[in-house]
């Protein structure tokens, strides 16, 4: 939701902070700000509405010196995106400055109490209430900053990742987290703080992933120390960062999203490396092997996720039920966490999340865990909150996904879920050895088949040119490709702002067909599969209403191609693996339409890469 960066050491803090904000801008970008303590001990806060580039433009000529600072890029939760509500926020005396990612649920009560002590507020944010509470606590208890933060946070209900500066101690940053991510980087008497590792990777590979309710002191000359909200000293576990700088650069592509679409042959191979042995036609995923009885004996599997990850879960439902004969329920995490679901001991809950920080999915995990379910996380960000909350899991290992619209993470999620379905089916004997061998071998062929689809990029761009001015678009698919239709529609609407809906193709007759007007684009995902003949009928129904049909078909197809206005070919593959191929043309179609419309593809309006608040 928001991006946090902090630095204390010997470098020019502003340069470290502003570069870090650019790396985190995918997390939120409606306002940005920085707080620096210069050599004279002045605490300077500069902030502006807009993007990080707007912040850089706004500080020309200002004193941005200093070797300690904190910085923030915001996705608004309380208070509209404007300069007053941008972070950092001063305390009343302007001795303190704070940045925050999360939501203080009880901020109104805390604010009322502070106002009764004469405090006034410049902004509408919950964050400013927190920094005033810290200052009030410091003054009332005559304590140091760390203790004041600790005492104040004990009064807070909600989610936070915060960093606080006190101009009276220019060597110290105090930070803390609960339900929002925070990573510490350790250099040579210099310390970094960030919402994820991307601002840290070029300086050090030694990191600490903070736990919920950790409070950390980063002090020049004295090092790093961690204690809990309840004043229990902790020995932090220093880990080696797996990330590299090249992984977070665009690599010559115009947008991160295009780079990540083209990375998919490589990233899928990576997500299968060491897990899918094509020669031996065998799949081994450690997290599954160690817990296979839980899966084999499960009476039900619940999948909880949001957005694109939910679409991956829907595909998994088809695969697990087909191969393992276990009933699967796919839940939107935001609904699942509140609808008082029936969860039994022995249920297996699979939580899917690229960021590993989605608040609703994390809450769904905690709920299911509290009722005795076994939690298996499928995430991409190592050390993020959901994998740490799960009993076991499997990382997708596609590297950082910077584009807000998920692409490579989605295909990796589907790959891992397919591996899981095959392993369960083999263990249960509901999948014949020959089926298992065929599917495992074909899974190993998917990366090179995606390469062939990517060769049609120019062709897909030409199709995008024809439909870039559409106001509405319908996506249709059946079986394994119904979730692909949903995903294609989501890609188009979230980056081009064109209204798009995905439907099971047969469902169209129950209302949506009324939407069809002359020339309206209808994307039909129609690879060779069991329901191919049925979808041909659906295409004829939309053609009869003068829609324009864009079809995704299997090489050699004739019937659907002859009915279509535009066709994109995919290589033949097993029906259950078609989503890994059919989604790629839809990713490219959405990308090119958005670019042609002049939309901000990597940072679409109103969105954020990781929704760490409700
Ligand atoms: C996908 O393109 C969107 N950016 C969004 O739907 C995303 O999939 C959703 O917010 C879930 O995020 P997660 O996978 O990090 O939990």
């Amino acid at each position: 939701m928001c991006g946090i960066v902090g630095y204390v050491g010997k470098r020019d803090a502003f340069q470290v902070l502003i570069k870090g904000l650019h790396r985190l801008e995918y997390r939120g970008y409606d306002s940005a700000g920085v707080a620096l303590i210069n050599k004279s001990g002045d605490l300077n806060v500069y902030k502006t509405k807009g993007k990080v580039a707007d912040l850089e433009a706004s500080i020309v000529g200002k004193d941005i010196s200093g070797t300690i600072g904190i910085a923030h890029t915001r996705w608004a939760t309380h208070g509209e995106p404007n300069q007053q509500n941008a972070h950092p926020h001063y305390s009343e005396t302007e001795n303190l400055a704070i940045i925050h990612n999360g939501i203080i649920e009880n901020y109104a009560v805390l604010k009322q109490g502070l106002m009764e002590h004469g405090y006034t507020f410049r902004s509408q944010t919950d964050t400013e209430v927190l920094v005033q509470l810290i200052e009030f606590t410091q003054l009332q208890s005559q304590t140091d900053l760390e203790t004041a933060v600790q005492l104040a946070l004990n009064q807070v209900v909600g989610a936070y990742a915060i960093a606080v500066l006190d101009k009276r101690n220019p060597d110290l940053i105090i930070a803390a987290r609960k339900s929002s991510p925070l990573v510490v980087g350790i250099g040579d008497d210099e310390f970094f703080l960030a919402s994820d590792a991307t601002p840290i990777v070029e300086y050090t590979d030694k990191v600490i992933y903070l736990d919920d309710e950790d409070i950390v002191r980063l002090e020049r000359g004295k090092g790093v120390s961690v204690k809990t909200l309840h004043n229990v000293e902790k020995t932090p576990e220093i880990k080696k960062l797996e990330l590299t700088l090249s992984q977070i650069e665009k690599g010559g592509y115009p947008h991160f999203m295009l780079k990540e679409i083209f990375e998919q042959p490589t990233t899928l191979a990576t997500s299968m490396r060491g897990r899918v042995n094509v020669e031996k036609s065998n799949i081994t995923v450690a997290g599954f092997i160690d817990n296979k009885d839980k899966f084999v004996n499960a009476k039900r599997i619940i999948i909880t996720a949001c957005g694109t990850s939910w679409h991956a879960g829907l595909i998994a439902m088809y695969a697990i039920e087909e191969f393992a004969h276990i009933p699967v329920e796919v839940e939107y995490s935001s609904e699942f966490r509140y609808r008082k679901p029936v969860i039994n001991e022995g249920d297996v809950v699979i939580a899917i999340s690229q960021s590993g920080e989605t608040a609703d999915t994390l809450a769904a995990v905690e709920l299911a865990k509290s009722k005795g379910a076994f939690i298996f996380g499928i995430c991409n960000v190592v050390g993020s909150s959901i994998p740490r909350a799960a009993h076991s899991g499997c990382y997708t290992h596609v590297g950082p996904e910077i584009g807000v619209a998920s692409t490579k993470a989605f295909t990796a999620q589907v790959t891992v879920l397919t591996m899981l379905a095959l392993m369960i089916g083999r263990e249960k004997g509901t999948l014949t050895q020959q089926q298992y061998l065929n599917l495992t071998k074909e899974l190993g062929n998917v990366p090179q088949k995606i390469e062939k689809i990517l060769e049609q990029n120019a062709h897909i761009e030409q199709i995008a040119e024809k439909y870039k001015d559409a106001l509405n678009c319908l996506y249709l698919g059946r079986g394994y490709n119904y979730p692909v239709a949903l995903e294609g529609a989501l890609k188009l609407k979230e980056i081009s702002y064109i209204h798009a809906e995905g439907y099971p193709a047969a469902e169209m007759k129950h209302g949506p067909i009324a939407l069809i007007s002359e020339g309206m684009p209808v994307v039909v995902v129609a690879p060779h599969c069991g329901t191919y003949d049925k979808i041909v009928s659906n295409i004829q129904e939309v053609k009869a209403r003068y829609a324009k049909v864009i079809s995704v078909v299997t090489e050699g197809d004739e019937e659907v191609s002859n009915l279509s206005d535009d066709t994109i070919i995919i290589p033949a593959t097993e029906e259950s693996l078609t989503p890994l191929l059919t989604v790629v043309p839809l990713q490219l179609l959405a990308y090119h339409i958005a670019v042609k419309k002049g939309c901000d593809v990597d940072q679409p309006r109103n969105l954020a890469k990781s929704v760490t608040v409700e």
Side-chain angles (χ1 to χ4, degrees):
M1 292 305 285
C2 300
I4 278 184
V5 190
Y7 175 74
V8 56
K10 48 206 175 236
R11 301 172 198 258
D12 174 350
F14 180 77
Q15 294 310 319
V16 174
L17 297 171
I18 207 73
K19 193 187 281 189
L21 285 189
H22 278 298
R23 298 222 191 286
L24 290 178
E25 203 164 19
Y26 68 92
R27 301 176 59 86
Y29 32 84
D30 58 39
S31 56
V34 62
L36 299 155
I37 302 175
N38 66 18
K39 287 185 174 54
S40 314
D42 301 323
L43 174 58
N44 295 312
V45 170
Y46 306 113
K47 55 188 185 178
T48 182
K49 178 179 178 180
K51 296 196 167 186
V52 176
D54 298 313
L55 176 63
E56 288 177 290
S58 73
I59 49 98
V60 173
K62 301 274 179 62
D63 173 6
I64 54 169
S65 64
T67 56
I68 179 171
I70 55 179
H72 182 274
T73 181
R74 183 172 183 242
W75 187 81
T77 56
H78 289 73
E80 65 181 83
N82 61 26
Q83 201 271 351
Q84 290 78 11
N85 291 330
H87 303 204
H89 288 283
Y90 274 124
S91 63
E92 186 138 274
T93 62
E94 300 198 353
N95 287 330
L96 308 183
I98 192 171
I99 53 177
H100 167 224
N101 172 25
I103 287 188
I104 309 293
E105 306 283 0
N106 62 334
Y107 85 99
V109 170
L110 296 171
K111 185 170 185 174
Q112 185 56 41
L114 290 163
M115 289 167 75
E116 286 163 8
H117 284 88
Y119 279 80
T120 57
F121 295 84
R122 302 175 178 93
S123 78
Q124 305 157 290
T125 66
D126 53 344
T127 305
E128 190 185 8
V129 172
L130 183 52
V131 73
Q132 300 286 44
L133 179 63
I134 293 168
E135 178 153 276
F136 173 68
T137 306
Q138 205 175 23
L139 294 172
Q140 290 289 311
S141 318
Q142 289 301 303
T143 57
D144 65 3
L145 180 62
E146 181 181 21
T147 309
V149 168
Q150 190 180 58
L151 294 172
L153 289 179
N154 272 291
Q155 300 174 59
V156 160
V157 175
Y160 53 79
I162 62 168
V164 188
L165 291 181
D166 183 337
K167 72 177 190 179
R168 295 159 298 184
N169 186 339
D171 298 312
L172 177 67
I173 297 176
I174 298 293
R177 69 149 284 180
K178 183 176 182 183
S179 303
S180 293
L182 211 48
V183 184
V184 171
I186 299 172
D188 176 12
D189 196 24
E190 59 177 357
F191 307 102
F192 306 82
L193 194 65
S195 301
D196 67 32
T198 49
I200 295 171
V201 63
E202 63 191 277
Y203 304 106
T204 178
D205 63 359
K206 289 193 287 186
V207 293
I208 298 169
Y209 295 103
L210 294 179
D211 292 320
D212 275 355
E213 301 194 350
D214 279 359
I215 297 176
V216 63
R217 282 177 75 90
L218 305 179
E219 191 160 11
R220 195 173 12 218
K222 292 186 180 171
V224 177
S225 63
V226 178
K227 61 172 63 170
T228 69
L229 220 48
H230 309 297
N231 213 28
V232 175
E233 298 283 343
K234 286 181 75 172
T235 305
E237 186 184 358
I238 298 176
K239 296 196 171 180
K240 185 173 180 344
L241 196 55
E242 296 173 6
L243 206 54
T244 62
L245 193 52
S246 63
Q247 282 179 316
I248 57 178
E249 299 291 356
K250 282 183 192 165
Y253 286 90
H255 300 99
F256 280 110
M257 183 179 177
L258 190 61
K259 174 190 173 195
E260 288 152 9
I261 291 171
F262 274 79
E263 277 181 335
Q264 290 178 114
T266 305
T267 51
L268 284 203
T270 307
S271 62
M272 289 189 265
R273 187 168 300 127
R275 295 167 171 170
V276 177
N277 183 325
V278 179
E279 287 68 42
K280 293 180 182 165
S281 287
N282 187 40
I283 302 175
T284 49
V285 172
F288 170 77
I289 301 296
D290 300 340
N291 302 283
K292 64 181 160 186
D293 293 346
K294 294 186 176 61
F295 287 96
V296 170
N297 301 325
K299 290 186 175 42
R300 174 178 66 155
I301 291 178
I302 299 168
I303 296 177
T304 184
C306 302
T308 286
S309 298
W310 185 83
H311 296 151
L314 220 46
I315 292 169
M317 176 185 74
Y318 286 83
I320 294 170
E321 293 201 350
E322 178 181 359
F323 302 144
H325 301 181
I326 298 174
V328 177
E329 292 167 23
V330 186
E331 298 271 0
Y332 280 118
S333 301
S334 54
E335 287 299 308
F336 184 66
R337 65 180 291 195
Y338 287 118
R339 67 174 183 79
K340 302 179 179 55
V342 174
I343 302 169
N344 303 313
E345 293 264 349
D347 280 344
V348 169
V349 172
I350 299 175
I352 308 170
S353 175
Q354 186 286 131
S355 63
E357 298 296 351
T358 297
D360 285 321
T361 304
L362 182 58
V365 162
E366 299 297 356
L367 169 71
K369 202 160 69 166
S370 70
K371 292 182 180 288
F374 173 73
I375 313 296
F376 192 83
I378 295 178
C379 299
N380 188 43
V381 177
V382 174
S384 54
S385 301
I386 291 169
R388 291 143 63 97
H391 294 111
S392 182
C394 177
Y395 283 116
T396 47
H397 287 317
V398 297
E401 186 176 65
I402 308 297
V404 167
S406 185
T407 50
K408 63 178 183 174
F410 171 73
T411 47
Q413 288 165 349
V414 173
T415 299
V416 168
L417 287 157
T418 303
M419 288 152 60
L420 207 53
L422 294 174
M423 288 187 292
I424 303 168
R426 185 185 60 172
E427 286 298 326
K428 289 190 68 177
T430 47
L431 191 66
T432 67
Q433 187 60 11
Q434 193 55 52
Q435 285 175 309
Y436 175 80
L437 295 178
N438 294 345
L439 284 159
T440 302
K441 184 172 175 46
E442 182 58 16
L443 193 54
N445 295 332
V446 165
Q448 79 227 17
K449 293 190 173 184
I450 292 179
E451 289 285 8
K452 287 184 67 61
I453 297 168
L454 293 171
E455 290 168 9
Q456 298 181 69
N457 183 40
H459 168 57
I460 295 167
E461 184 177 357
Q462 287 168 351
I463 295 173
E465 182 60 35
K466 292 170 67 174
Y467 300 104
K468 68 182 189 305
D469 299 321
L471 298 177
N472 297 286
C473 191
L474 208 53
Y475 285 72
L476 304 177
R478 296 180 82 117
Y480 280 91
N481 285 285
Y482 154 48
V484 176
L486 297 179
E487 174 58 11
L490 177 61
K491 287 285 107 32
L492 185 68
K493 60 186 146 190
E494 70 175 327
I495 63 174
S496 75
Y497 317 142
I498 294 173
H499 177 247
E501 293 301 327
Y503 275 97
E507 188 59 19
M508 217 228 334
K509 300 186 293 295
H510 302 280
I513 197 165
L515 278 175
I516 306 288
S517 54
E518 186 168 352
M520 175 177 170
V522 176
V523 178
V524 186
V525 188
H528 284 160
C529 64
T531 53
Y532 179 84
D533 295 339
K534 305 294 182 192
I535 210 162
V536 170
S537 311
N538 300 142
I539 294 173
Q540 283 160 341
E541 288 151 12
V542 298
K543 289 290 289 179
R545 279 121 184 121
Y546 310 110
K548 293 292 184 187
V549 174
I550 305 161
S551 61
V552 179
V553 299
T554 304
E555 59 193 352
D557 177 277
E558 290 184 3
E559 196 167 8
V560 168
S561 306
N562 291 337
L563 284 169
S564 304
D565 297 273
D566 298 278
T567 300
I568 303 162
I569 309 279
I570 65 164
T573 188
E574 295 279 350
E575 178 170 352
S576 60
L577 303 182
T578 53
L580 290 168
L581 303 186
T582 54
V583 74
V584 176
L586 307 189
Q587 294 169 343
L588 286 171
L589 182 64
Y591 169 79
H592 286 301
I593 288 176
V595 168
K596 290 174 182 300
K597 290 190 68 178
C599 296
D600 188 337
V601 171
D602 284 333
Q603 298 173 359
R605 69 185 182 195
N606 308 339
L607 287 179
K609 183 61 180 175
S610 174
V611 185
T612 57
V613 291
E614 292 191 41

